[in-house]
Amino acid sequence: MVNTITKALMNRYLDNRCTPEEKVRVAAFIQQPEGQQLLDDVLTERLTADMLLMEQIRVDDQQAAEWKTTLRQRIAAMQAEQEPVMPRPVKRLSFLRRAAIWTILVSALGTIGVHQYRKHSKTTATALANLEKRNPKGQRAVITLADGSVIHLGADSRLEYPEAFSGPTREITLTGEAFFEISEDPAHPFIVHTGTVQTRVLGTSFKINAFKGTPLTVAVATGKVQVEHANNGHEYTSAVAVLTPGQQVTWDPIAQHPAIAEMPVADIAGWKNARLAFNNSTLREVADVLERWYNVSISFKQSTTAQKRITVTLSANRPLEETLRVLSAGSRFTYKINNRQVTIH
């Protein structure tokens, strides 16, 4: 069993950026010895980072006071939130006592904080930041991580990642769709978090589709990946599948059942170059993908047309009208484009 309370999640908890479900999970985990140890490690790393920043900048008294006030308010707010889920005492230092010690140490060392430091140096401030890239519909991006890994982020997708990796793992969070080319580092596994599923690799290339409200898919172009699922939202995971090149797993969060299929490697890797491969997909499913890539809305006059199935490979680098012309020829429908609204008859 693998624990899913990671340093990245613990840092989000300390920064009060967790979802309600994540807050409950982390608060319960802190009650356990291994949770207290992880909290110790994270607080130590944050303190060490602040100490390093001290050598690079100066802050005036007013800025230092503002930072201390902000931190104290954050700790007080988190204490109020966590009282209902911390019913029993712990033998070691409680979370709040640890946080208080951290605050006192930082204050004694000069009260330096990343948020105040940003006013003086944008470059240094982001050195400890968790970054976010969010693509609207119709827009893609290529992101190079600190370890040299390259991520092709799709339209209508969001990626959260650290400025630099630290600790035994390299962890990021994806909502939406992306193709990954991960630098090999056996000592530091790369983990992609997508809701209650995580994908663990050492060095490989693969694609993930993880839009909310739809089944998650992971497809491997090179190397090997392990896909894991959190049991009932708890901190431990069970294996969904171990995939090799040309394999794709689909995980339905409702049925809680994996389905593994074969897929041409060229189709998996080609996605980063706008190659969209559909195999026995409905026109509605094809339309959902085209809506993201072209930033349009596609509606069907007839439900029977939307449910027609098609196997086709498209290039989203081509104009929308050309793509629709290819689809209409194969599925025998007509269409009308009015600004960003497409109607299929």
Side-chain angles (χ1 to χ4, degrees):
M1 305 297 282
V2 181
N3 168 40
T4 58
I5 306 299
T6 62
K7 285 186 178 181
L9 179 56
M10 186 69 76
N11 272 300
R12 293 204 303 273
Y13 178 80
L14 292 172
D15 292 333
N16 201 25
R17 296 190 296 110
C18 283
T19 65
E21 188 240 356
E22 288 174 332
K23 288 181 181 179
V24 172
R25 287 172 50 209
V26 176
F29 183 60
I30 289 173
Q31 299 301 303
Q32 305 172 26
E34 56 267 36
Q36 296 178 21
Q37 181 60 55
L38 180 60
L39 179 61
D40 274 340
D41 294 343
V42 171
L43 290 179
T44 299
E45 289 178 2
R46 292 171 71 123
L47 176 59
T48 301
D50 281 340
M51 291 170 64
L52 292 174
L53 282 177
M54 283 179 54
E55 300 178 358
Q56 301 179 46
I57 85 144
R58 295 177 179 271
V59 294
D60 59 38
D61 292 341
Q62 180 180 353
Q63 292 168 339
E66 290 175 355
W67 184 78
K68 285 193 291 184
T69 299
T70 299
L71 184 55
R72 291 192 183 103
Q73 290 173 345
R74 182 185 305 164
I75 293 172
M78 294 180 70
Q79 180 182 21
E81 289 181 2
Q82 298 311 323
E83 284 177 352
V85 294
M86 299 176 69
R88 58 185 178 86
V90 294
K91 294 181 180 179
R92 300 177 65 197
L93 288 175
S94 68
F95 159 71
L96 290 173
R97 190 174 170 194
R98 295 167 198 271
I101 291 174
W102 176 51
T103 306
I104 293 170
L105 286 173
V106 172
S107 299
L109 289 169
T111 63
I112 193 73
V114 173
H115 297 296
Q116 295 302 326
Y117 178 64
R118 186 174 290 118
K119 297 180 180 179
H120 297 266
S121 172
K122 293 183 180 179
T123 301
T124 306
T126 57
L128 301 175
N130 284 322
L131 307 179
E132 178 183 280
K133 175 61 179 177
R134 187 188 298 265
N135 284 344
K137 290 183 178 181
Q139 179 177 310
R140 292 175 287 157
V142 178
I143 302 162
T144 301
L145 303 182
D147 65 343
S149 297
V150 177
I151 300 176
H152 302 259
L153 186 64
D156 195 24
S157 301
R158 178 169 60 91
L159 187 74
E160 294 180 68
Y161 59 100
E163 176 76 7
F165 293 108
S166 62
T169 58
R170 299 170 287 166
E171 303 190 32
I172 65 171
T173 300
L174 169 70
T175 301
E177 194 171 23
F179 183 86
F180 299 82
E181 296 172 306
I182 303 305
S183 298
E184 186 172 356
D185 185 355
H188 299 88
F190 194 95
I191 300 175
V192 183
H193 295 280
T194 47
T196 60
V197 174
Q198 67 177 27
T199 302
R200 178 183 293 262
V201 304
L202 298 177
T204 183
S205 61
F206 58 100
K207 177 180 175 293
I208 295 180
N209 184 308
F211 288 100
K212 291 183 178 180
T214 63
L216 174 140
T217 63
V218 180
V220 177
T222 61
K224 180 186 293 186
V225 308
Q226 178 168 309
V227 183
E228 301 167 333
H229 175 252
N231 289 319
N232 300 319
H234 296 160
E235 63 269 22
Y236 299 106
T237 59
S238 58
V240 171
V242 176
L243 304 175
T244 54
Q247 289 187 317
Q248 173 180 285
V249 64
T250 300
W251 174 259
D252 188 329
I254 298 177
Q256 300 276 294
H257 181 73
I260 298 178
E262 300 296 321
M263 187 174 184
V265 170
D267 289 345
I268 300 171
W271 179 89
K272 65 182 180 181
N273 297 318
R275 176 188 174 101
L276 305 181
F278 301 95
N279 182 23
N280 197 33
S281 301
T282 66
L283 284 177
R284 181 65 266 177
E285 292 169 337
V286 174
D288 290 341
V289 174
L290 296 182
E291 285 181 335
R292 292 194 298 267
W293 281 77
Y294 288 99
N295 188 22
V296 295
S297 177
I298 302 176
S299 60
F300 292 83
K301 285 292 187 179
Q302 302 293 331
S303 60
T304 53
T305 303
Q307 295 307 309
K308 283 185 177 180
R309 293 190 174 273
I310 187 171
T311 296
V312 65
T313 299
L314 304 172
S315 173
N317 284 330
R318 309 302 300 171
L320 174 62
E321 187 164 4
E322 182 176 324
T323 298
L324 290 173
R325 190 160 57 244
V326 171
L327 281 176
S328 64
S331 298
R332 297 183 180 180
F333 63 76
T334 60
Y335 61 89
K336 181 179 180 180
I337 303 176
N338 183 13
N339 293 323
R340 309 203 77 82
Q341 175 66 52
V342 178
T343 304
I344 293 178
H345 298 273

